[in-house]
């Protein structure tokens, strides 16, 4: 708001304008002369009417007013002037011959400020005029100051009002901003809570996550250090074949199933002593506090197994899942949660490869095994580069003729420091680490190269002579397996009628779709197929019917127990009967004694492979064995 200011001019004495009203010209002359001499501006009027007109034309600063005048008397003039807002403040000094007190009182009542009696004394007139003008000036100054004061008061009130308004606005804005900030803070708190929730929980299942478990384990590890009797158990649970569920039914269905699994576990497993966490993907972890002995963890594993054995209905399908568990009993030897996870994982891997147990409790032999596996893995990588592998060929003998029917190719690894390492040890590791892919291709190429050599020398004359090559499931799963095979066939010039692939029955069970696709291609190339280690898996003969199989190889675990006249004999006999019904021939693996050979021959087994006939031989020894076998008529296994 703008300040109001006063613009009125200050009156100056020198310019004071005096009106003299008198019907006596002599008085007028005398008074005006005197006053003009004193520096005043003087106007004159000879009667009341003229006086009023003159005043209207221009307001004087002071009026000397005669009372007795012919038209309107001085009292009347004075009263009229006092009535008007414009003129009421002009000081009027009556100058009159009327000298009675009554007249003087009347003059003052009419509004006069002073009274000068006629005949007047000029000095008195001057003095009284001066007085009145001074008073008038002071009055004007007072009014002006008053006005200024008013303006100032007005300005102050305005300023205060403005300040009050500003304060009000400010307060309103502070309130608004405060509530805005409160909302923002609230939002941030919510967000922070959400972040915190996400940090500690799995968003799919809502269960505490691995990070949470790590935090808990750190606390428990501190506690078990202080009180070693406070051991606790950690069970890591891995749902099997989850990838297949995701691949076949879609990720969404997989997620639903995971949520159902976690809910079932939560309801049936969790209590005040056990905490369930979603460890990641299809893995869960269960923390079991204050355990007395490891039987408690076994009981929990059994309960979990039972709980998950019932089917889950996902998208109108009933799905059954199996699981493996790795259990660690945590004592004060553990320093970090990661060590517990490492051991639980090792135990779980062990459980996976075990046919009898779905859970395993970690112990040091598992760790030593794991270390050995790790070492072999590293060495395998180097061995591939350094070409430390070679192939052996174990003869397969025909029971009827005693003649060699073919060889099985068996890879050999001569480690520069550790010597020969059994394929039974390194092949599973090569499979786990996918090193079987380059190694397997090398073996296939090498075998084909060798067949080509033998093919040129002699074997073409031999009827149905085959060299078997073990092919791992991992190799067959490769999209380009057939392309690579064709390349090898083309490069080596092998005649594929001498080539036979040995595949374990577990491949047929687990990857029937892949087996179908690859076997059709193999059949088209006339490559023969043998099912290796038959009887160790779960396949039924009727299941084999859908695949273009030529040969079954009965696993040596059955052959070695033949003498004992136990169940193995029944299984071998039944296998032989059924295999023949399906049109397969049978190779008995691991024949070590004459008796075993005779028994198998009696039951109609066509072929034998085993130390009784020959051990796996290097390529030159294999060739020699072959030549000798052709030259003489061996009595191997013949009665
Ligand atoms: P497999 O394919 O069943 O091979 C037969 C195994 O039985 C060979 O062991 C062989 O030496 C052994 N064997 C043969 N006759 C007898 C016998 O009379 N008594 C005993 N105790 N054993 C006998 P090896 O060479 O140690 O191979 C073990 C396994 O390693 C093989 O079982 C096969 O699964 C795998 N393997 C070996 N070479 C290769 C290969 O080149 N590629 C692939 N993928 N796997 C291979
Ligand atoms: Mg084999
Ligand atoms: Mg075998």
């Amino acid at each position: 708001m703008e300040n109001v200011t006063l613009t009125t001019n200050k009156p100056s004495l020198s310019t004071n304008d005096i009106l003299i009203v008198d019907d006596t010209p002599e008085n007028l002359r005398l008074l005006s002369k005197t006053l003009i001499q004193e520096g005043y501006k003087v106007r004159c009027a000879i009667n009341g009417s003229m006086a009023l007109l003159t005043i209207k034309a221009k307001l004087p600063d002071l009026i000397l007013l005669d009372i007795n005048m012919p038209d309107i008397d001085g009292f009347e003039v004075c009263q009229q002037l006092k009535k008007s807002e414009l003129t009421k403040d002009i000081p009027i000094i009556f100058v009159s011959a009327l000298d009675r007190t009554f007249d003087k009182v009347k003059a003052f009542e009419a509004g006069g400020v002073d009274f000068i009696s006629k005949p007047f004394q000029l000095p008195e007139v001057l003095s009284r005029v001066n007085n009145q003008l001074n008073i008038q000036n002071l009055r004007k100054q007072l009014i002006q100051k008053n006005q200024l004061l008013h303006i100032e008061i007005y300005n102050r009130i305005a300023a205060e009002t403005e300040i009050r308004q500003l304060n009000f606005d400010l307060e309103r804005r502070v309130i608004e901003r405060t509530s805005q900030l409160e909302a923002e803070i609230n939002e941030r708190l919510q967000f922070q809570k959400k972040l915190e929730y996400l940090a500690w929980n799995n968003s799919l299942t809502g269960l505490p996550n691995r990070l949470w478990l790590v935090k808990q384990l750190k606390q428990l590890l501190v506690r078990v250090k202080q009180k070693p009797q406070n051991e606790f158990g950690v069970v890591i649970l891995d749902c099997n074949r989850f990838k297949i569920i995701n691949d076949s039914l879609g990720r969404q269905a997989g997620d639903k199933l995971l949520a159902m699994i976690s809910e079932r576990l939560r309801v049936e497993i969790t209590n005040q002593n056990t905490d369930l966490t979603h460890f990641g993907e299809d893995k869960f972890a269960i923390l079991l506090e204050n355990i007395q002995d490891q039987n408690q963890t076994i009981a929990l594993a059994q309960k979990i197994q039972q709980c998950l054995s019932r089917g889950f209905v996902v998208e109108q399908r009933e799905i059954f899942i199996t699981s493996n568990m790795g259990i660690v009993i945590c004592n004060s030897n553990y320093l970090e949660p990661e060590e517990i996870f490492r051991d639980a994982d090792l135990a779980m891997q062990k459980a996976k490869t075990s046919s009898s147990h779905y859970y395993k409790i970690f112990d040091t032999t598992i760790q030593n095994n794991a270390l050995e596996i790790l070492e072999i893995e590293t060495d395998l990588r180097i061995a591939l580069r350094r070409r430390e592998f070679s192939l052996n060929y174990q003869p397969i003998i025909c029971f009827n003729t005693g003649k060699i029917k073919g060889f099985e190719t068996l890879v050999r690894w001569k480690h520069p420091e550790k010597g020969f390492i059994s394929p039974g040890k390194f092949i599973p590791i090569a499979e786990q680490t996918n090193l079987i892919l380059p190694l397997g291709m090398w073996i296939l190429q090498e075998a084909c190269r060798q067949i080509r050599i033998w093919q040129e020398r002699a074997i073409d004359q031999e009827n149905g002579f085959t060299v078997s090559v073990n092919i791992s499931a991992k190799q067959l799963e490769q999209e380009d397996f057939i392309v690579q095979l064709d390349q090898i066939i083309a490069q080596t010039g092998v005649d594929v009628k001498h080539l036979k692939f040995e595949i374990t029955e577990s491949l047929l069970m687990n990857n029937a779709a892949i087996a179908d696709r690859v076997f059709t291609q193999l059949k088209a190339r006339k490559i023969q197929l043998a099912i290796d280690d038959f009887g160790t898996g779960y396949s039924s003969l009727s299941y084999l019917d859908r695949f273009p199989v030529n040969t079954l190889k009965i696993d040596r675990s059955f052959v070695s127990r033949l003498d004992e006249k136990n169940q193995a004999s029944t299984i071998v006999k039944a296998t032989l009967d059924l295999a023949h019904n399906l049109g397969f021939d049978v190779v008995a693996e691991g024949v070590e004694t004459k008796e075993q050979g005779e028994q198998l021959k009696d039951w109609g087994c066509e072929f034998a492979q085993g130390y009784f006939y020959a051990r796996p031989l290097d390529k030159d020894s294999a060739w020699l064995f072959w030549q000798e076998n052709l030259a003489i008529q061996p009595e191997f296994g013949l009665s």
Side-chain angles (χ1 to χ4, degrees):
M1 182 187 263
E2 261 182 48
N3 272 9
V4 176
T5 48
L6 192 69
T7 51
T8 323
N9 287 329
K10 224 177 164 184
S12 116
L13 267 182
S14 59
T15 55
N16 279 346
D17 182 1
I18 298 174
L19 176 68
I20 308 167
V21 187
D22 205 317
D23 57 343
T24 316
E26 183 54 26
N27 282 348
L28 282 179
R29 197 189 52 77
L30 192 63
L31 279 172
S32 63
K33 186 183 167 201
T34 312
L35 289 169
I36 286 166
Q37 274 172 354
E38 283 301 312
Y40 295 111
K41 263 190 192 167
V42 176
R43 284 181 293 155
C44 296
I46 51 166
N47 56 41
S49 316
M50 203 176 148
L52 288 172
L53 281 173
T54 312
I55 292 164
K56 239 184 191 172
K58 186 177 182 247
L59 295 180
D61 295 312
L62 186 123
I63 302 168
L64 289 174
L65 184 60
D66 187 15
I67 296 174
N68 279 332
M69 286 183 293
D71 55 348
I72 310 166
D73 69 8
F75 290 136
E76 178 67 28
V77 171
C78 182
Q79 275 163 352
Q80 278 198 32
L81 290 175
K82 293 300 157 187
K83 272 186 209 155
S84 163
E85 203 43 47
L86 204 67
T87 53
K88 72 177 176 31
D89 291 331
I90 302 169
I92 297 168
I93 301 173
F94 284 101
V95 183
S96 175
L98 301 175
D99 200 15
R100 294 169 304 166
T101 308
F102 167 78
D103 292 317
K104 287 183 184 168
V105 170
K106 199 179 168 188
F108 283 116
E109 276 174 358
V113 292
D114 206 352
F115 198 97
I116 301 169
S117 301
K118 284 182 186 174
F120 49 72
Q121 299 300 311
L122 279 172
E124 185 194 339
V125 171
L126 276 178
S127 169
R128 284 182 191 269
V129 163
N130 259 336
N131 274 349
Q132 282 312 319
L133 281 173
N134 275 340
I135 290 169
Q136 177 68 350
N137 275 334
L138 286 172
R139 207 175 67 86
K140 276 185 182 171
Q141 278 176 27
L142 206 63
I143 288 169
Q144 207 177 0
K145 283 200 174 146
N146 246 346
Q147 276 176 343
L148 281 171
L149 210 61
H150 269 112
I151 288 165
E152 200 175 315
I153 289 168
Y154 174 83
N155 282 345
R156 275 196 191 187
I157 289 172
E160 270 171 22
T161 314
E162 199 174 357
I163 286 169
R164 225 175 293 130
Q165 182 62 38
L166 284 173
N167 267 343
F168 176 76
D169 283 352
L170 197 67
E171 259 169 46
R172 191 175 42 80
R173 266 193 273 163
V174 167
I175 290 169
E176 266 174 25
R177 189 71 194 121
T178 311
S179 77
Q180 253 175 19
L181 281 175
E182 269 169 9
E184 268 172 42
I185 289 168
N186 246 343
E187 207 175 304
R188 273 182 198 203
L189 278 176
Q190 294 293 330
F191 188 65
Q192 222 167 335
K193 268 192 190 157
K194 205 171 164 191
L195 278 183
E196 213 164 292
Y197 177 82
L198 285 177
W200 298 114
N201 292 277
N202 181 286
S203 55
L204 174 69
T205 57
L207 287 177
N209 60 14
R210 185 189 164 114
L211 211 63
W212 181 87
L213 183 60
V214 168
K215 194 173 73 166
Q216 293 305 104
L217 290 178
K218 280 190 174 161
Q219 288 170 7
L220 288 174
L221 285 173
V222 172
R223 216 173 65 183
V224 80
K225 271 248 138 46
Q226 293 157 350
K227 292 186 182 162
Q229 71 274 21
N230 280 356
E231 291 192 346
F232 55 95
V234 172
V235 180
I236 303 271
L237 163 80
D238 186 18
C239 302
N240 295 331
R241 300 194 311 134
F242 220 86
K243 186 177 170 338
I244 298 180
I245 292 163
N246 272 341
D247 289 349
S248 53
L249 301 182
R251 213 173 161 99
Q252 235 180 347
D255 284 354
K256 267 190 203 158
L257 180 58
L258 269 181
M260 286 169 136
I261 293 171
S262 70
E263 184 54 19
R264 195 181 282 177
L265 287 171
R266 197 183 61 74
V267 172
E268 297 191 21
I269 305 298
T270 344
N271 60 39
Q272 73 269 32
N273 252 350
T274 55
D275 287 306
L276 173 68
T277 54
H278 191 163
F279 199 63
E281 295 182 344
D282 52 358
K283 283 200 181 85
F284 295 88
I286 299 108
L287 178 61
L288 197 64
E289 285 188 47
N290 295 331
I291 50 166
Q292 306 307 320
D293 60 61
Q294 66 178 39
N295 288 339
Q296 274 175 277
T297 59
I298 294 172
L300 176 68
Q302 283 163 345
K303 202 170 164 195
I304 292 171
Q305 166 76 2
Q306 225 170 27
C307 153
L308 296 182
S309 64
R310 303 193 310 271
F312 292 89
V313 179
V314 179
E315 291 172 0
Q316 281 115 44
R317 269 171 208 267
E318 189 163 27
I319 295 174
F320 289 91
I321 62 150
T322 57
S323 60
N324 285 112
M325 286 168 256
I327 302 172
V328 178
I329 310 293
C330 307
N331 52 31
S332 53
N333 291 338
Y334 283 100
L335 298 176
E336 289 294 331
E338 285 308 322
E339 295 171 3
I340 300 172
F341 298 153
R342 176 201 62 202
D343 290 352
D345 200 52
L346 287 175
M348 191 178 61
Q349 297 304 335
K350 194 80 186 159
K352 271 195 179 167
T353 50
S354 156
S355 53
S356 53
H357 277 93
Y358 50 82
Y359 68 85
K360 255 295 173 302
I361 298 180
F362 176 81
D363 59 35
T364 43
T365 53
I366 295 180
Q367 189 177 30
N368 292 341
N369 261 343
L371 286 174
E372 196 184 17
I373 288 172
L374 190 71
E375 223 173 83
I376 290 181
E377 184 193 335
T378 318
D379 289 353
L380 263 177
R381 290 180 195 277
I382 300 167
L384 265 170
R385 285 204 305 271
R386 288 204 210 143
R387 300 186 172 272
E388 290 168 10
F389 299 101
S390 64
L391 292 187
N392 268 4
Y393 301 88
Q394 187 175 26
I396 296 169
I397 307 295
C398 173
F399 273 122
N400 275 336
T401 62
K403 291 275 176 75
I404 187 164
K405 171 73 168 74
F407 292 109
E408 176 179 3
T409 311
L410 294 162
V411 68
R412 293 291 173 258
W413 177 18
K414 189 162 186 260
H415 191 283
E417 287 123 39
K418 296 174 188 154
F420 278 106
I421 298 176
S422 152
K425 203 171 221 175
F426 72 80
I427 291 287
I429 298 167
E431 280 174 342
Q432 274 170 36
T433 53
N434 279 345
L435 288 168
I436 193 69
L437 300 176
L439 178 61
M441 276 305 149
W442 177 84
I443 292 167
L444 185 59
Q445 187 158 31
E446 192 58 19
C448 288
R449 224 175 43 78
Q450 190 56 53
I451 299 171
R452 169 72 199 262
I453 294 168
W454 286 333
Q455 181 180 301
E456 282 177 358
R457 287 195 205 159
I459 63 172
D460 260 345
Q461 303 142 21
E462 298 299 317
N463 205 10
F465 190 93
T466 52
V467 175
S468 304
V469 180
N470 292 288
I471 303 288
S472 125
K474 271 273 164 67
Q475 286 177 272
L476 290 194
E477 279 165 18
Q478 296 307 299
E479 291 277 329
D480 61 349
F481 176 73
I482 294 291
V483 177
Q484 293 197 47
L485 170 68
D486 285 344
Q487 275 173 7
I488 291 175
I489 293 170
Q491 275 167 18
T492 56
V494 67
D495 184 346
V496 288
K497 75 171 184 230
H498 300 304
L499 191 59
K500 195 182 246 186
F501 284 169
E502 288 192 13
I503 283 145
T504 56
E505 56 178 330
S506 52
L507 176 94
L508 306 182
M509 293 296 294
N510 297 336
N511 296 325
I514 294 172
D516 257 338
R517 173 170 59 82
V518 180
F519 291 177
T520 314
Q521 304 267 6
L522 295 182
K523 196 179 173 192
R525 284 160 184 74
K526 296 203 169 52
I527 295 173
Q528 298 182 48
L529 206 61
I531 302 303
D532 203 359
D533 305 343
F534 190 78
T536 55
Y538 307 97
S539 53
S540 68
L541 283 170
S542 57
Y543 187 79
L544 290 176
D545 194 22
R546 41 185 290 213
F547 301 111
V549 174
N550 306 87
T551 305
L552 279 195
K553 295 188 79 174
I554 298 180
D555 191 67
R556 70 181 147 91
S557 58
F558 298 101
V559 175
S560 65
R561 288 184 289 146
L562 272 185
D563 323 323
E564 297 168 18
K565 300 265 176 285
N566 56 14
Q567 223 186 359
S569 311
T570 326
I571 294 172
V572 171
K573 233 171 123 205
T575 308
L576 278 163
D577 289 345
L578 286 164
H580 292 148
N581 283 342
L582 287 167
F584 307 152
D585 53 42
V586 179
V587 177
E589 285 188 302
V591 182
E592 291 185 350
T593 64
K594 189 171 180 204
E595 290 73 28
Q596 288 168 349
E598 281 169 351
Q599 180 67 87
L600 287 158
K601 190 187 172 231
D602 272 359
W603 286 337
C605 182
E606 285 87 356
F607 305 105
Q609 177 183 349
Y611 294 170
F612 178 63
Y613 307 98
R615 290 197 169 243
L617 307 164
D618 63 44
K619 61 180 192 313
D620 299 329
S621 310
W623 174 250
L624 267 179
F625 179 90
W626 190 358
Q627 295 311 303
E628 283 168 16
N629 175 270
L630 283 180
I632 53 162
Q633 277 296 319
E635 293 285 311
F636 296 139
L638 298 174
S639 52

